[in-house]
């Protein structure tokens, strides 16, 4: 299970239709504490709540905002905004034990065969996670620094491990070794030790030099069994704070969570130190408030192959988003359990589509391989939309994946138990409302369409798939969703989705080794718009998206705005670009794609040339705006 916050308890509290708050508890120690809410009774005062903790300080923050967006931004201002994420991290990422654990044939050959199969099936893929397969061996397994590691004695002598004063030796414990329930004795690295921090830093840089672009921070919960173990506290990051604590260097005081964060910092600083021009990418299994200063991404851990696990992954993503780790994914198809059925695998790819887990390959069921390919290619097609949401996350703390009540807090229905759970539907940006089907053999999805109090249109949503109907807000609807076609997807009337090519592309300015071999240039841009089915009554809808080179640590970000209104027989479109920052994309003109069955003519609001291009592969009318 994902430990998103580690030493923090975060609750979403309902106060009023327009006031949202986070209750944030920060403790000086992550030793076990407990809340008792309403289960204890005082003779005079009745039921009350109490918090108990063995030792350590306690700070509480009440963060209040009129909307959830305001509250999450205030939280980011307190602990730090999400990091910039490389553009490649928003594409399909493969992975699994199978490939890197192989000895015969050798792992590198198996990896190349996997890449060849991707090409054979026409499936774009931005990255591959090496997973932990490299650690499975008869000798010297390395997911931790075990006693069998050749550098173990060196770090023992240098004080790189926690110290047990009772034995005057490192704090030994049983650690996972090579899978299958095996283990060995050793201790987690003490990242408050300057020697240990530097040892890890140097190791990360050696991996980077070998061609590994991102780092995966796994098994980093620091579940140490003894509060009295001593930390070194001589790493400069914590050195000044340590001077104020006299001689108490115990883990109980300084918290295990600090090491989770420092481990992320070691990864982050090592990557940035080697290539300061490029943004580092660190994936972490666990985090504390502030870890997003060093780790850009997380995932749901070792999930199960089941319909319930797929459903629950939505709530996990929404929680990580509010916790500011806003680039989150899952092992598609599950990590543990039997292999997913073709139906479950395709539903999961339609819903999430980020990474594929152990020995679950996109072509494992030939009968659905074309459908899997289409779902992944659609992800690449809307990559400009996805990536813009990532930039927005960094700048404003608004998560790409948002709870159903995000922006609709005054709709009382979003506060009902089913919708508060966050398991069945969510907003993806401001335009796409995503539903799902969470049972086998079911071809209808149930969705709620949230409503704002100042709604101006009878129909505020449109089904992005067959039968492409316009729907009123404030109601539950049943959406046809045959599993070989799509999950339920709604577009908000007035929204827009910038799109590109449905293949892996290279952005101008990205000179990294990972992109040099990418043949296709990111030189096409379109926009899918969803005007009301008749007149917009003089309302002009506007959407701005962001673009940069996808890799720089301090990028120039350009802004592009499309605006449109409609009458019964035409759609009037305007477009402007703000490239004063210095980033200029490879694309020049903009294709305007109308919703299916919208036969109105598109014209420019300022008289620019607009040419009818024809119908696309989905039967939608497309116009090219010369700009």
């Amino acid at each position: 299970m994902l430990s998103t916050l580690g030493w923090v308890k975060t609750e979403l509290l309902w106060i009023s239709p327009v006031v949202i708050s986070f209750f944030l508890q920060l403790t000086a120690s992550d030793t076990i504490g407990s809340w008792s809410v309403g289960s204890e009774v005082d003779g005079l005062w009745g039921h009350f709540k109490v918090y108990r903790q063995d030792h350590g300080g306690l700070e509480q923050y009440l963060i209040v905002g009129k909307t959830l967006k305001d509250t999450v931004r205030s939280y980011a201002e307190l602990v730090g905004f999400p990091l910039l994420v490389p553009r490649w991290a928003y594409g399909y990422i493969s992975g699994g034990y199978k490939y890197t654990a192989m000895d015969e044939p050798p792992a590198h050959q198996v990896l190349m065969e996997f890449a060849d199969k991707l090409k054979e099936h026409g499936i774009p893929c931005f990255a591959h996670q090496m997973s932990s397969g490299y650690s499975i061996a008869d000798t010297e397994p390395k997911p931790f620094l075990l006693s069998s590691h050749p550098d173990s004695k060196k770090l023992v002598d240098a004080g790189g491990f926690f110290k047990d004063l009772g034995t005057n030796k490192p704090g030994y414990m049983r650690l996972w070794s090579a899978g299958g329930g095996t283990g060995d004795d050793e201790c987690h690295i003490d990242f408050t030790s300057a020697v240990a921090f530097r040892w890890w830093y140097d190791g990360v840089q050696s991996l980077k030099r070998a061609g590994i672009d991102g780092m995966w921070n796994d098994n980093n919960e620091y579940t140490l069994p003894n509060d009295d173990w001593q930390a070194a506290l001589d790493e400069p990051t914590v050195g000044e704070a340590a001077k104020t604590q006299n001689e108490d260097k115990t883990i109980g005081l300084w918290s295990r969570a600090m090491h989770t964060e420092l481990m992320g910092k070691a990864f982050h600083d090592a990557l940035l130190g080697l290539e300061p021009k490029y943004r580092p990418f660190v994936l972490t299994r666990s985090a504390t408030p502030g870890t997003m200063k060093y780790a850009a991404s997380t995932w749901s851990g070792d999930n199960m192959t089941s319909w319930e696990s797929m459903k629950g992954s939505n709530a996990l993503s929404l929680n990580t988003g509010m916790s500011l780790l806003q680039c989150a994914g899952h092992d598609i198809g599950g990590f543990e359990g039997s292999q997913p059925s073709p139906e479950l695998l395709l539903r999961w790819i339609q819903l999430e589509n980020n990474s594929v887990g152990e020995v679950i390959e996109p072509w494992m069921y030939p009968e659905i391989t074309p459908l899997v390919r289409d779902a992944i290619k659609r992800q690449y097609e809307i990559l400009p939309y996805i990536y813009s949401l990532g930039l927005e996350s960094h700048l404003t703390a608004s998560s790409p994946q948002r709870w159903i009540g995000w922006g609709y807090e005054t709709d009382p229905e979003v506060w009902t138990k089913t919708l508060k759970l966050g398991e069945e539907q969510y907003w993806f940006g401001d335009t796409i409302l995503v539903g799902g089907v969470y049972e086998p053999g079911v071809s209808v999805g149930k969705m709620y369409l949230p409503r704002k109090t100042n709604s101006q249109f009878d129909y505020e949503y449109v089904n992005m798939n067959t039968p492409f109907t316009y729907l009123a807000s404030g109601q539950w609807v049943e959406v046809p969703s045959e599993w070989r076609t799509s999950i339920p997807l709604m577009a908000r009337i007035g929204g827009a989705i910038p799109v590109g090519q449905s293949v892996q592309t290279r952005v101008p300015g990205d000179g990294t080794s990972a992109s040099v071999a990418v043949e296709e240039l990111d030189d096409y841009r379109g926009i899918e718009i969803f005007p009301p089915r008749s007149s917009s009554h003089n309302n002009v809808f506007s959407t701005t998206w962001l673009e940069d080179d996808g890799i720089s640590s301090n990028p120039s970000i350009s802004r592009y705005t499309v605006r449109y209104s409609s009458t019964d027989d035409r759609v009037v479109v305007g477009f402007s670009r703000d490239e004063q920052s210095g980033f200029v994309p490879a694309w020049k003109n903009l294709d305007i794609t109308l919703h299916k069955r919208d036969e109105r003519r598109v014209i420019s609001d300022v008289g620019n040339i607009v040419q009818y291009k024809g119908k696309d592969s989905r039967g939608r009318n497309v116009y090219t705006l010369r700009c």
Side-chain angles (χ1 to χ4, degrees):
M1 183 64 67
L2 175 68
S3 175
T4 309
L5 292 178
W7 62 328
V8 171
K9 179 180 176 65
T10 303
E11 297 176 354
L12 181 63
L13 301 183
W14 167 238
I15 295 181
S16 77
V18 293
V19 178
I20 308 297
S21 70
F22 275 138
F23 178 70
L24 184 63
Q25 166 204 327
L26 299 180
T27 70
S29 169
D30 63 344
T31 54
I32 295 176
S34 63
W35 281 101
S36 176
V37 182
S39 63
E40 303 202 17
V41 182
D42 181 271
L44 291 176
W45 306 105
H47 292 274
F48 63 96
K49 64 182 178 181
V50 62
Y51 175 76
R52 293 187 178 93
Q53 183 177 314
D54 294 338
H55 57 78
L58 178 67
E59 297 179 9
Q60 294 182 342
Y61 296 81
L62 186 66
I63 305 173
V64 179
K66 290 185 176 181
T67 66
L68 188 55
K69 180 178 181 178
D70 293 340
T71 308
V72 172
R73 182 180 180 113
S74 294
Y75 178 43
E77 289 169 348
L78 177 66
V79 301
F81 282 72
L83 283 177
L84 283 165
V85 175
R87 180 175 174 266
W88 57 260
Y90 291 111
Y92 165 47
I93 300 176
S94 62
Y97 283 104
K98 173 183 176 180
Y99 315 105
T100 48
M102 297 293 289
D103 291 320
E104 187 57 43
H108 71 274
Q109 181 178 325
V110 177
L111 282 170
M112 294 309 299
E113 289 173 355
F114 179 81
D116 290 341
K117 284 186 179 180
L118 287 169
K119 191 172 184 179
E120 174 188 341
H121 291 288
I123 296 175
C125 180
F126 265 146
H128 181 88
Q129 293 183 153
M130 300 291 282
S131 191
S132 300
Y134 73 91
S135 69
I136 298 177
D138 293 332
T139 58
E140 297 184 5
K142 300 172 189 177
F144 298 91
L145 196 64
L146 303 173
S147 55
S148 56
H149 193 283
D151 281 352
S152 178
K153 186 177 185 303
K154 170 184 173 182
L155 284 179
V156 168
D157 294 342
F161 297 129
F162 302 106
K163 189 174 183 179
D164 185 343
L165 292 183
T167 63
N168 205 33
K169 293 180 179 180
Y172 288 96
M173 58 182 291
R174 196 71 173 169
L175 294 174
W176 174 74
S177 175
T182 63
D184 199 356
D185 288 332
E186 193 52 275
C187 182
H188 283 280
I189 291 170
D190 176 7
F191 278 95
T192 74
S193 161
V195 170
F197 187 97
R198 187 69 199 191
W199 180 84
W200 194 272
Y201 179 104
D202 292 341
V204 170
Q205 290 199 338
S206 69
L207 291 173
K208 176 64 177 176
R209 292 188 184 96
I212 297 178
D213 293 309
M215 300 294 161
W216 177 8
N217 225 354
D218 201 0
N219 296 283
N220 58 333
E221 290 77 35
Y222 272 81
T223 52
L224 306 176
N226 193 324
D227 281 350
D228 294 328
W229 282 356
Q230 304 283 299
L233 299 178
D234 58 6
E235 159 59 28
T237 302
V238 295
E240 288 300 316
K243 292 176 182 178
T244 68
Q245 295 296 322
N246 299 319
E247 298 302 318
D248 192 341
K249 297 183 178 182
T250 60
I251 300 303
L253 175 69
W254 285 93
S255 115
R256 297 154 178 81
M258 176 172 63
H259 300 277
T260 298
E261 185 163 323
L262 287 175
M263 186 176 183
K265 186 178 190 303
F267 275 108
H268 171 275
D269 291 0
L271 293 173
L272 198 62
L274 203 59
E275 291 188 332
K277 293 194 306 180
Y278 301 130
R279 62 193 72 161
F281 182 74
V282 179
L283 179 73
T284 186
R285 188 166 92 173
S286 296
T288 68
T291 297
M292 68 289 302
K293 294 180 293 185
Y294 310 119
S297 184
T298 188
W299 90 108
S300 56
D302 296 347
N303 57 356
M304 297 296 296
T305 297
S306 70
W307 291 85
E308 281 297 312
S309 182
M310 178 181 71
K311 181 180 178 181
S313 67
N314 292 331
L316 286 171
S317 291
L318 295 176
N319 277 309
T320 58
M322 287 191 287
S323 302
L324 301 177
L325 273 169
Q326 298 184 343
C327 175
H330 311 276
D331 284 340
I332 302 304
F335 177 84
E336 295 185 10
S338 58
Q339 296 286 58
S341 67
E343 182 182 6
L344 176 56
L345 177 62
L346 184 58
R347 284 291 195 203
W348 216 325
I349 291 173
Q350 292 166 345
L351 183 68
E352 307 282 358
N353 195 16
N354 183 272
S355 63
V356 170
E358 181 184 8
V359 302
I360 296 176
E361 297 173 325
W363 46 78
M364 64 186 295
Y365 297 118
E367 66 272 26
I368 64 167
T369 297
L371 305 177
V372 171
R373 177 177 61 244
D374 290 346
I376 293 175
K377 288 176 74 68
R378 174 60 175 168
Q379 178 182 0
Y380 279 79
E381 187 175 35
I382 67 171
L383 188 59
Y385 180 73
I386 298 171
Y387 184 67
S388 178
L389 292 175
L391 293 178
E392 182 184 350
S393 161
H394 171 68
L395 295 172
T396 71
S398 291
S399 178
Q401 199 166 332
R402 302 164 187 173
W403 174 58
I404 182 68
W406 185 281
Y408 295 83
E409 291 87 355
T410 57
D411 185 341
E413 186 69 15
V414 304
W415 299 101
T416 58
K417 182 177 180 180
T418 297
L419 293 177
K420 276 201 300 184
L421 287 174
E423 293 184 335
E424 299 189 13
Q425 60 184 97
Y426 57 86
W427 282 104
F428 190 49
D430 287 332
T431 296
I432 305 175
L433 186 61
V434 179
V437 175
Y438 306 102
E439 298 178 65
V442 176
S443 58
V444 175
K446 190 176 181 182
M447 295 182 71
Y448 178 71
L449 308 180
R451 180 177 180 83
K452 292 189 176 181
T453 54
N454 61 345
S455 299
Q456 302 179 48
F457 301 99
D458 293 333
Y459 301 96
E460 293 186 87
Y461 296 88
V462 61
N463 190 343
M464 297 178 70
N465 300 306
T466 304
F468 308 105
T469 48
Y470 291 80
L471 297 162
S473 63
Q475 64 169 331
W476 285 90
V477 295
E478 291 188 344
V479 184
S481 180
E482 202 278 327
W483 72 273
R484 293 178 180 83
T485 303
S486 176
I487 56 173
L489 293 172
M490 295 287 166
R492 179 182 59 82
I493 295 299
I497 305 171
V499 296
Q501 299 183 66
S502 61
V503 297
Q504 188 175 357
T505 58
R506 177 171 50 85
V507 178
D510 182 357
T512 59
S513 57
S515 297
V516 170
V518 177
E519 298 176 357
E520 296 288 342
L521 195 63
D522 183 34
D523 59 1
Y524 170 80
R525 196 65 77 242
I527 191 87
E528 299 176 1
I529 61 174
F530 306 92
R533 64 178 182 176
S534 56
S535 173
S536 63
H537 306 297
N538 297 319
N539 285 280
V540 178
F541 306 102
S542 178
T543 295
T544 297
W545 76 92
L546 311 174
E547 300 195 20
D548 66 6
D549 64 11
I551 198 68
S552 294
S553 56
N554 186 26
S556 301
I557 299 176
S558 295
R559 290 166 167 79
Y560 304 90
T561 301
V562 65
R563 55 192 178 274
Y564 62 89
S565 60
S566 64
T567 65
D568 291 341
D569 64 348
R570 66 184 60 184
V571 177
V572 183
V573 176
F575 176 69
S576 58
R577 58 174 78 210
D578 178 3
E579 296 169 345
Q580 295 182 15
S581 66
F583 173 75
V584 179
W587 56 272
K588 302 300 180 185
N589 299 312
L590 187 69
D591 277 1
I592 311 294
T593 300
L594 297 177
H595 182 58
K596 184 73 175 286
R597 298 176 183 168
D598 191 337
E599 299 296 331
R600 287 173 288 188
R601 185 164 61 97
V602 172
I603 64 172
S604 167
D605 65 344
V606 293
N608 288 346
I609 297 174
V610 180
Q611 295 178 319
Y612 179 60
K613 192 174 182 177
K615 292 186 180 294
D616 65 8
S617 60
R618 301 184 184 94
R620 302 174 299 178
N621 287 311
V622 182
Y623 291 80
T624 299
L625 175 66
R626 303 294 177 185
C627 52

